Amino acid sequence: RKEVEQDPGPFNVPEGATVAFNCTYSNSASQSFFWYRQDCRKEPKLLMSVYSSGNEDGRFTAQLNRASQYISLLIRDSKLSDSATYLCVVRGNNNDMRFGAGTRLTVKP
Amino acid sequence: SAVISQKPSRDICQRGTSLTIQCQVDSQVTMMFWYRQQPGQSLTLIATANQGSEATYESGFVIDKFPISRPNLTFSTLTVSNMSPEDSSIYLCSGLQDLNTEAFFGQGTRLTVV
C-alpha cells in the first residue's frame, strides 16, 4: 500500500465549479499534513497546511479526519488559474515529506 | 520562507558520466532532502542530507549511485553517477527551516541522459 494515495484525475471542470480532492495516508502516527500545488515544469509550492479542526483560505478548504486517515481539499468558484496538479503531502517519521501521486485539475472557460 | 537556489536548471549528459547538482539556501535550515520526479509522476524521496555526516537513503537508492554532501546548514549537493537514460528525470532539493514548518523546494534540475 502506498504511503499517500490520491485520485490522479484528471479533473476537468468549468469555471465557477466546486471541486474536491481526496487523499488517504497509511501511517497513523503522521502529525503534519499539507496540500501543495505544482504547475507544469515548476517546483511544488505550499498551498495550505491541514489542521485537525479544518481550515479555510479564501476559496480553499482543507479537512483532516485522523480516524479515517483521510485528507480533503475543496476548491470553490474555480478559476482558470487554479489549473495545476495538487499534491497531498504527509510528513514522515523522519520529518521528510511523503507525496501522493498528485491530482491534475484543468479549469476550462 | 527561505529561498533555495538550485543549479543547473537543466542539463543533457552522456551516459556513463556524472552530474553534480547544487542547492544553496539563503538561510540556515534544519533539514534538507533530495527528491526525484519522473515524467508524469509525483516526487520520490531519494535521501535526507545530513549535515556533517552520511546521508540517509530511501529504499532503492544507494550512496554509490547518488552521493550526497551537506557540509553546512545552507548547502547540499547531489551527484548522479554513471548515468544511464533511466536517470533522466527532474531532481529537486527541499529544505525545512524547523520541524513545525512546511518544506520548500529548489526550482529543480531537468536531467536528460543520452
Side-chain angles (χ1 to χ4, degrees):
Chain A
R1 181 185 173 188
K2 292 182 180 178
E3 290 185 78
V4 182
E5 295 208 56
Q6 283 182 257
D7 180 349
F11 284 63
N12 298 306
V13 303
E15 271 187 294
T18 295
V19 61
F21 304 139
N22 303 319
C23 171
T24 57
Y25 60 95
S26 61
N27 183 355
S28 60
S30 299
Q31 294 296 316
S32 302
F33 311 90
F34 309 89
W35 283 101
Y36 277 70
R37 169 187 171 136
Q38 186 172 28
D39 293 291
C40 188
R41 294 178 175 266
K42 298 287 189 180
E43 73 275 19
K45 293 188 177 177
L46 179 70
L47 178 65
M48 58 197 304
S49 302
V50 186
Y51 302 119
S52 296
S53 54
N55 48 301
E56 187 173 307
D57 182 2
R59 298 182 292 109
F60 299 85
T61 301
Q63 296 206 312
L64 167 65
N65 184 321
R66 286 188 184 272
S68 302
Q69 295 178 207
Y70 171 90
I71 307 161
S72 66
L73 176 68
L74 184 75
I75 305 176
R76 292 181 299 278
D77 188 23
S78 300
K79 311 291 184 191
L80 296 177
S81 57
D82 293 334
S83 297
T85 297
Y86 290 83
L87 300 162
C88 177
V89 184
V90 176
R91 193 192 297 279
N93 293 336
N94 296 317
N95 289 299
D96 52 84
M97 299 298 211
R98 302 287 172 160
F99 285 77
T103 300
R104 178 170 290 186
L105 171 67
T106 301
V107 181
K108 298 185 175 180
Chain B
S1 62
V3 175
I4 300 180
S5 297
Q6 182 172 346
K7 58 181 182 181
S9 59
R10 60 177 61 231
D11 208 341
I12 300 173
C13 300
Q14 296 289 326
R15 66 179 67 199
T17 63
S18 298
L19 175 72
T20 296
I21 303 167
Q22 298 183 3
C23 277
Q24 177 72 56
V25 194
D26 65 355
S27 61
Q28 293 185 349
V29 291
T30 304
M31 303 188 77
M32 291 185 76
F33 308 95
W34 287 95
Y35 290 85
R36 180 172 73 184
Q37 186 172 29
Q38 293 180 309
Q41 298 188 25
S42 191
L43 283 74
T44 300
L45 181 66
I46 297 172
T48 302
N50 299 310
Q51 191 261 326
S53 65
E54 190 172 292
T56 304
Y57 289 85
E58 295 297 303
S59 176
F61 297 97
V62 295
I63 188 170
D64 290 346
K65 177 66 176 177
F66 297 102
I68 288 171
S69 78
R70 191 179 174 202
N72 55 52
L73 293 176
T74 63
F75 185 78
S76 181
T77 67
L78 167 75
T79 299
V80 186
S81 303
N82 187 26
M83 288 183 285
S84 67
E86 292 72 34
D87 295 321
S88 298
S89 188
I90 297 172
Y91 293 85
L92 294 130
C93 62
S94 172
L96 198 64
Q97 282 195 291
D98 63 60
L99 301 183
N100 294 317
T101 59
E102 72 280 3
F104 55 97
F105 289 83
Q107 300 89 341
T109 297
R110 184 176 295 270
L111 171 64
T112 302
V113 184
V114 297

